[in-house]
Amino acid sequence: MELYYLTAHELHDLLLKKEVSAEEICRAVFDRIDAVEEKVKAYVTLTRERAFARAQEIDRKIAAGEAIPPLAGIPVAIKDNICTRGIRTTCSSKMLYNFVPPYNATVVEKLEAAGTVMVGKTNMDEFAMGSSTENSGFFATANPWDPERVPGGSSGGSAAAVAAGEAITAIGSDTGGSIRQPAAFCGVIGLKPTYGAVSRYGLVAFASSLDQIGPFTRDVTDCALMLNAISGHDPLDSTSAPGDVPDFTSCLKDDVKGLKIGVPREYIGEGIDPAVKEVVGQALKLLASLGAEIEETTLPHSRYALPAYYLIATAEASSNLARYDGVRYGYRAEDARDVVDMFMKTRSRGFGPEVKRRIMLGTYALSAGYYDAYYLKALKVRTLIKQDFDRAFEKFDVLLAPTTPTPAFKRGEKMDDPLQMYMSDICTLAVNLAGIPGISIPAGFVNGLPVGMQLIGKPFDEGTLLRVAYTFEQHADYSRRRPSL
């Protein structure tokens, strides 16, 4: 297999044996980018010179006999809503087309400390608002398995880069499924950690109580390695959870005997494609044959997750995006008559239609006379959803469901119907509302398109999710398949 399609741990072994250099790995990935990027369009910005300088630095350490961390020399892509010092960070929006942060996000600092090689910033739905990466203010990204289909969103560029061999691993953000859904559509691993497990410092805010940074990888071992690198308390993030970080690679055991897996009936009923149900059903049979105890359960308030999410997320977005006014940084309308006219023209021209839609909805939900009826009620529903999960986890170790109701849909298919687009995240939203971890892993294919299976865990129990995912991966070859671009 080509270098650009290997996993991080496979490349690490080759580096230790000196069978390949970090510079050769970097060159293989950039050659792949040059070959397929015109078709995939995963990147907003490439950092070629910086990447090769970093790879050469890693090679010098290896030549000097220094020990290197497991991710040293591994090319990684960063979603373009995560701040990178000296490198443009646009959120795929005209509003931030010229913004160059003076600091790194904490996850970027941690990845640099782990020796990774950043190859570029990936495309996304503008300000992380969308489920298809068609809402990018620059261009749409294609799904490597079928360029006529979407890669998912909002982290579609990161998922597509890993699937297409344009990066070995990647970082995304997940507010309502924006790591897990594109991972499912692109046939890769995508993990949303527990809220607070990974620092959000340097992540451009969409909905602060829901946003979480996490990794995209080709297999579960790489996912554990990335989680090791980016997890941990950060004093710069007031929502960062204190406590020691376990070695997540120690959880990679091929053993699910006696584990109790609950299957919420709400996620395998109406609205789920029968072919997707069949794939998930086969995955359940495999896990049962390996000794897991499977039982149906219920999350009765999950049917309210979609409306609750779109009230809470839009309300927080209307507040967070108020800072983009043309005064301090980013886009500014130059033909304004006065300061009020500048505010209006800057925001009208700088934001795309989906961002405007969500700002208006959120502002309405927070307005006088409507706060109690909408936003406050949504917060109460959020509590009920969290309590449903708490009750389920009194009995089960893990919950299992489809990641998405369908495989990847055609480009343009849902752009004119926002409600249908929002339904793409129906299986993932509740996890963010509850602040718990979820991972999507490839579980099969339907008409040549990947189907993702979602595992949902207890707070800060990513280890059990990785254990179940790793066991499934050892007995199914879906993670080893690559698209033929």
Side-chain angles (χ1 to χ4, degrees):
M1 192 178 283
E2 300 288 349
L3 286 177
Y4 56 75
Y5 266 156
L6 295 180
T7 62
H9 59 92
E10 289 169 338
L11 290 169
H12 180 71
D13 290 343
L14 293 176
L15 284 169
L16 292 182
K17 295 174 185 174
K18 298 186 178 179
E19 294 179 12
V20 69
S21 68
E23 186 175 358
E24 287 171 327
I25 295 170
C26 190
R27 181 168 291 109
V29 167
F30 275 105
D31 285 349
R32 178 63 170 174
I33 291 171
D34 292 339
V36 303
E37 176 60 7
E38 190 174 334
K39 182 180 288 187
V40 179
K41 295 186 180 298
Y43 286 96
V44 173
T45 303
L46 290 170
T47 53
R48 197 180 300 257
E49 289 184 13
R50 184 180 291 215
F52 277 106
R54 178 70 162 159
Q56 290 162 3
E57 179 187 333
I58 299 298
D59 284 335
R60 286 193 291 272
K61 289 184 177 181
I62 294 171
E66 294 183 34
I68 59 168
L71 292 174
I74 301 302
V76 61
I78 307 292
K79 188 177 180 181
D80 206 26
N81 62 344
I82 296 172
C83 288
T84 43
R85 183 174 53 245
I87 300 169
R88 204 166 57 120
T89 299
T90 70
C91 291
S92 289
S93 176
K94 182 179 179 181
M95 188 62 83
L96 290 176
Y97 76 102
N98 62 354
F99 175 59
V100 178
Y103 67 97
N104 278 331
T106 296
V107 288
V108 174
E109 291 284 351
K110 284 176 173 279
L111 287 170
E112 287 193 357
T116 62
V117 175
M118 182 173 67
V119 294
K121 306 295 292 292
T122 55
N123 195 28
M124 54 185 281
D125 286 296
E126 184 181 6
F127 282 101
M129 298 182 191
S131 304
S132 65
T133 315
E134 293 171 290
N135 288 318
S136 168
F138 305 137
F139 47 79
T141 297
N143 189 317
W145 292 91
D146 179 355
E148 296 301 312
R149 295 180 184 269
V150 302
S154 62
S155 309
S158 291
V162 174
E166 296 185 80
I168 305 302
T169 67
I171 291 292
S173 66
D174 191 311
T175 307
S178 290
I179 289 174
R180 290 158 291 151
Q181 187 247 28
F185 279 5
C186 292
V188 297
I189 311 290
L191 173 71
K192 184 207 91 71
T194 305
Y195 186 79
V198 175
S199 172
R200 291 185 300 110
Y201 179 75
L203 171 68
V204 178
F206 162 18
S208 304
S209 74
L210 301 165
D211 297 337
Q212 188 58 69
I213 293 172
F216 290 94
T217 61
R218 295 214 178 97
D219 71 2
V220 179
T221 302
D222 280 7
C223 189
L225 291 171
M226 286 288 283
L227 202 56
N228 279 348
I230 65 175
S231 297
H233 180 251
D234 178 15
L236 298 174
D237 175 7
S238 62
T239 62
S240 175
D244 296 331
V245 177
D247 177 6
F248 290 106
T249 59
S250 67
C251 305
L252 303 178
K253 299 171 183 174
D254 183 1
D255 178 23
V256 291
K257 288 185 179 68
L259 272 183
K260 294 181 178 179
I261 299 177
V263 183
R265 65 174 66 99
E266 291 80 8
Y267 293 148
I268 53 172
E270 187 179 350
I272 307 298
D273 187 319
V276 171
K277 283 191 218 178
E278 174 63 23
V279 167
V280 173
Q282 291 300 318
L284 285 167
K285 288 179 182 177
L286 174 58
L287 289 169
S289 73
L290 297 170
E293 299 174 18
I294 313 291
E295 187 179 326
E296 190 175 278
T297 187
T298 182
L299 299 169
H301 295 97
S302 63
R303 59 180 171 163
Y304 304 117
L306 186 72
Y309 171 87
Y310 276 101
L311 284 166
I312 294 169
T314 57
E316 294 185 15
S318 77
S319 176
N320 279 325
L321 271 63
R323 70 193 68 173
Y324 304 110
D325 53 13
V327 175
R328 289 173 287 272
Y329 52 84
Y331 172 74
R332 173 188 289 183
E334 299 293 348
D335 58 344
R337 297 185 307 274
D338 52 42
V339 67
V340 174
D341 192 44
M342 184 199 71
F343 289 160
M344 293 175 66
K345 286 180 176 176
T346 294
R347 290 171 69 82
S348 295
R349 298 171 187 172
F351 291 133
E354 180 61 28
V355 175
K356 291 177 186 174
R357 182 182 295 120
R358 298 197 191 197
I359 289 173
M360 288 191 291
L361 178 58
T363 304
Y364 179 81
L366 290 174
S367 59
Y370 295 102
Y371 179 95
D372 287 357
Y374 294 110
Y375 181 68
L376 184 60
K377 187 171 287 187
L379 291 179
K380 292 176 179 178
V381 171
R382 181 181 193 171
T383 299
L384 294 173
I385 290 170
K386 173 69 165 64
Q387 289 171 351
D388 284 349
F389 280 110
D390 290 343
R391 279 190 290 271
F393 287 127
E394 288 174 5
K395 182 174 183 181
F396 299 104
D397 299 298
V398 169
L399 301 180
L400 187 151
T403 308
T404 59
T406 67
F409 48 86
K410 290 279 185 73
R411 293 167 72 173
E413 185 179 318
K414 301 188 179 184
M415 281 298 286
D416 296 330
D417 189 344
L419 288 178
Q420 279 301 308
M421 185 72 82
Y422 297 166
M423 290 292 287
S424 303
D425 295 325
I426 193 69
C427 299
T428 55
L429 296 170
V431 173
N432 295 78
L433 290 169
I436 55 180
I439 186 172
S440 178
I441 61 174
F445 286 80
V446 171
N447 298 324
L449 298 171
V451 172
M453 174 177 73
Q454 180 180 208
L455 300 168
I456 303 167
K458 301 172 185 177
F460 301 101
D461 193 19
E462 285 83 356
T464 301
L465 294 186
L466 292 169
R467 175 182 163 191
V468 178
Y470 180 80
T471 301
F472 180 82
E473 185 180 74
Q474 299 311 299
H475 298 270
D477 70 341
Y478 306 118
S479 295
R480 300 294 299 174
R481 300 189 190 181
R482 306 286 185 259
S484 55
L485 273 164

